[in-house]
Amino acid sequence: LFVAAVFVYPLGFGIWMSVHRYFFTAPGATVPHPFVGFKNYATVISDPAVRASFVHVGEFLVINVPLTVVISLLLATALNNAIHWRGFLRVSYYVPYVTASVAMITVWMFMFSSGGIVDRILGPLAPNPAWLVNTTWAMPSIAFYVTWKQMGFFILLFLAALQNVPEELNEAAATDGASRWQSYRAVTIPAVRPATTLVVLLAIITGANLFTEPYLMTSGGGPNGATTTPVFLLYQKGIEQGTPDVASAIGVLLVIGVLLIAYASRKVTERE
């Protein structure tokens, strides 16, 4: 009942809205919502801003997902091997994940603003205009921020998987003459494959629903729409412009895209 109320009904209602002419009405008002077939989808697909938003979120995923998997696994391995300060380090990595996004984004914007600490460190290598107002670097900057903020959660997932790897396997590999890197590649990485699959799926789902970071960090999808995402356009068209039917069509296309990417990534990460 919970799943039906929270997930199945909203998804089904969104699909229904996407094939009807739907708009918000006053409470109690009875207004017909004629069936329009795939007209809303045609409107969405023909909109250059919508197509660009899917490209932008694809760019984000290409940067965010590999960074999340690689860095989280390496840091989790380091934490698993650490003896001193292990608890302190775990909490330190996890703090950004549970801290309010608005507070974290404020600090990040201060660091990456024009003349901020990052620009002062890089000197002439810093981009001009600054990171978050640069059409080339705005989305990569957001991807780096999201990777950093959510990394604590994924580190804990990998750390739990690493602690379940039998030490006897590494000892057997060492007895057979394997180096630490060979043992890590042949024993540890395959052993944490289920956790890797989970991390990839969660990173894809979270990244595809990117909204808060572009909305706050770039003043609503800027510069020049370089950081607009499908969820941002869904909010813009459904809430601000009052066309929830078009917004629902965007949402359905996003769900289909996420399912396809998640299925393909799962096949890649779970292959023998």
Side-chain angles (χ1 to χ4, degrees), residues 62-121:
V62 167
I63 299 172
N64 171 255
V65 176
L67 280 179
T68 296
V69 173
V70 173
I71 299 178
S72 297
L73 180 56
L74 292 177
L75 291 176
T77 303
L79 283 178
N80 192 47
N81 295 329
I83 298 176
H84 302 292
W85 302 98
R86 180 184 296 179
F88 171 77
L89 292 173
R90 288 179 185 175
V91 174
S92 299
Y93 285 126
Y94 198 69
V95 164
Y97 180 74
V98 297
T99 304
S101 294
V102 175
M104 292 289 96
I105 287 174
T106 301
V107 175
W108 194 269
M109 292 176 63
F110 174 76
M111 293 172 57
F112 283 81
S113 63
S114 179
I117 185 172
V118 176
D119 280 8
R120 291 199 297 270
I121 293 174

Side-chain angles (χ1 to χ4, degrees), residues 37-63:
F38 293 101
K39 182 178 179 180
N40 292 324
Y41 291 94
T43 301
V44 167
I45 295 174
S46 62
D47 189 343
V50 175
R51 296 199 301 268
S53 70
F54 278 90
V55 174
H56 298 157
V57 82
E59 177 187 356
F60 173 88
L61 292 175
V62 167
I63 299 172

Side-chain angles (χ1 to χ4, degrees), residues 25-31:
T25 58
T30 302
V31 179

